[in-house]
Amino acid sequence: MRVTTQMLNRAAAKTGLPFAPGNSLLNYVNQTKAGSENPLLAALGKNSGVTAAAGQKSSEIAALLRTQQKSGYKKLDAAADQLAQSVAALTAEGENSVFGKAEKTGDTGAVGKSVERLADSYNEMVRMLEKQSDPMNQYYGYMMREAAAENSQALKELGITIGKDGTLSVDKGALGEADVKELKEIFGSGSGFQSKLSFLASRVSGNAQANLQSASGRYNAAGTYYGSSGSRYDFWG
């Protein structure tokens, strides 16, 4: 269907974009009135925190958007790595591991601190995934919240509750009263909860890196990253 100037102007009016007789789509993209930002590109940048300055070129705004995107992907990758490290600290085995020492001395203080760090890492990633527009990241966020929900009762018994936004709140007093066995069942190496968090951290990291490569222009014309495979969509292995 051919888009006429009249149709374009009607659409612009409905969306609140300024329009004038004779304007073309190219004009809407490239034209910036003195003292105002480019309305179309400003709308594109709204969710990314990028604001176009008066007279700023479309190419400059696009570059800012790419920079903002890449920064977001790097932060998400770092958050996923932090969660993976928090899980690894609790699931390590041996007499020198956090649970190994707790079982030997009966002191769960170090375990409690590790659990608090895990909760912080979990919360950070849940919040970041909630802000993502990528469907895969949104799905990973859903799976993280579901993993916690599946263990809500066991977590609650240790003083850890799940908020409406899916984040974890830790009652340090209640957590400190839990014994080693109770803590190990949900946070130790044999925990299904920990296994899922580790898996999801890996997938989120991989997706963030793929998106970073995409933002850097390493995808082909069909939108496929060279060397990628569909295995990252095969959930739980």
Side-chain angles (χ1 to χ4, degrees):
M1 179 180 71
R2 187 170 67 90
V3 178
T4 66
T5 298
Q6 186 178 22
M7 292 167 62
L8 184 62
N9 286 336
R10 281 202 302 267
K14 288 181 180 179
T15 59
L17 292 174
F19 68 96
N23 256 358
S24 67
L25 179 59
L26 186 61
N27 287 337
Y28 280 118
V29 174
N30 290 324
Q31 185 178 29
T32 303
K33 292 184 177 181
S36 65
E37 62 184 17
N38 182 304
L40 188 57
L41 290 170
L44 290 174
K46 187 177 296 183
N47 292 332
S48 301
V50 175
T51 303
Q56 196 164 16
K57 295 180 180 179
S58 301
S59 58
E60 295 174 339
I61 299 170
L64 285 172
L65 285 169
R66 284 196 298 273
T67 299
Q68 184 73 17
Q69 279 185 324
K70 289 191 283 187
S71 175
Y73 296 142
K74 288 178 181 178
K75 289 178 181 178
L76 185 58
D77 187 24
D81 184 58
Q82 185 59 53
L83 178 60
Q85 290 182 37
S86 297
V87 172
L90 283 161
T91 56
E93 298 181 307
E95 61 180 15
N96 290 323
S97 67
V98 66
F99 273 112
K101 292 177 180 178
E103 288 174 329
K104 185 177 180 179
T105 65
D107 184 355
T108 62
V111 175
K113 291 184 183 298
S114 293
V115 170
E116 289 176 38
R117 284 193 289 271
L118 173 72
D120 289 340
S121 299
Y122 172 95
N123 291 344
E124 176 67 13
M125 202 160 88
V126 164
R127 292 189 183 106
M128 292 187 73
L129 289 171
E130 184 70 23
K131 298 176 182 178
Q132 297 293 308
S133 59
D134 176 13
M136 282 307 300
N137 279 329
Q138 291 179 350
Y139 183 57
Y140 291 148
Y142 166 77
M143 293 306 297
M144 282 191 65
R145 294 190 296 274
E146 184 178 74
E150 289 172 350
N151 295 275
S152 60
Q153 186 56 41
L155 290 169
K156 187 176 181 180
E157 291 174 359
L158 298 175
I160 302 171
T161 54
I162 305 172
K164 291 182 179 179
D165 61 353
T167 59
L168 305 178
S169 296
V170 180
D171 181 333
K172 296 181 181 180
L175 184 64
E177 294 177 0
D179 61 37
V180 177
K181 183 179 179 181
E182 291 174 322
L183 290 164
K184 194 171 184 180
E185 284 180 356
I186 186 68
F187 294 114
S189 60
S191 164
F193 177 52
Q194 292 285 66
S195 178
K196 287 185 176 182
L197 291 187
S198 178
F199 177 86
L200 286 164
S202 174
R203 289 301 175 98
V204 170
S205 176
N207 198 44
Q209 290 174 25
N211 281 328
L212 181 59
Q213 290 162 341
S214 175
S216 300
R218 293 182 61 184
Y219 275 67
N220 63 23
T224 304
Y225 174 64
Y226 297 112
S228 68
S229 68
S231 62
R232 68 192 181 102
Y233 297 98
D234 300 328
F235 225 72
W236 304 136

